[in-house]
Amino acid sequence: MNKDIAYPPPQYHLTLAAMSPHAVRHIRRIVRTYALMWEMPHIAEVAELAVSELLANVVRHVPDRSCTVLLIAEEGRLRVEVGDNWPPLPARRTAGPWEESGRGLDLVDLITDAWGIDRSPARPGKTVWFELKA
C-alpha cells in the first residue's frame, strides 16, 4: 500500500438482517468498495460473488436472517466472514442439472483460495469464511 494515502482500517464489521436480495446487493457493494480501498481491485469481483453465496445461505436457511459480516485485510489477503446464530452447518451437496440451488459452497470452493466453517463455544451458530490472496 502507498504510505502517503489514508486508508480505512484493515477491518470492517457489520451486523444486519439479510431480509432480501437487496441486502445482499448492498453487502456486495461494501465488499467491492473495501477491496478497492485496500488496493485489491483484482479480487473484488470474486469476493463479491463468494460473499453473495454465503449470504444467500443466510437468506435461505437462517430463520431470523440475522448475521454479521467481517472483512479483514491482512498483508497479502482478504478474509471475509459471515456469522449467524443458527446451529445447523451448511452442507455441500450434489445438485441436479435442473436445480436452481445447491451449488453455492462448490462455487465458493472453486473461486477462493481457502474457505471453512468455524463454531464458537460462546454462541450457538457458526461462521463461514473465505480467503482470497491479493
Side-chain angles (χ1 to χ4, degrees), residues 11-31:
Q11 287 192 7
Y12 175 82
H13 182 267
L14 175 69
T15 300
L16 73 144
M19 299 304 282
S20 71
H22 177 72
V24 175
R25 283 192 304 272
H26 180 67
I27 299 305
R28 286 175 59 104
R29 275 188 246 126
I30 289 171
V31 169

Side-chain angles (χ1 to χ4, degrees), residues 4-83:
D4 298 328
I5 298 173
Y7 291 96
Q11 287 192 7
Y12 175 82
H13 182 267
L14 175 69
T15 300
L16 73 144
M19 299 304 282
S20 71
H22 177 72
V24 175
R25 283 192 304 272
H26 180 67
I27 299 305
R28 286 175 59 104
R29 275 188 246 126
I30 289 171
V31 169
R32 171 179 282 283
T33 299
Y34 272 85
L36 295 174
M37 288 190 301
W38 288 328
E39 293 189 345
M40 301 179 191
H42 51 286
I43 63 170
E45 285 185 36
V46 174
E48 278 186 286
L49 180 56
V51 78
S52 295
E53 293 301 329
L54 301 188
L55 290 169
N57 283 341
V58 171
V59 170
R60 191 170 292 119
H61 302 292
V62 176
D64 68 359
R65 296 183 177 158
S66 65
C67 66
T68 60
V69 177
L70 176 62
L71 311 177
I72 304 168
E74 295 181 338
E75 196 162 319
R77 70 185 173 114
L78 173 66
R79 181 179 175 103
V80 177
E81 300 180 357
V82 175

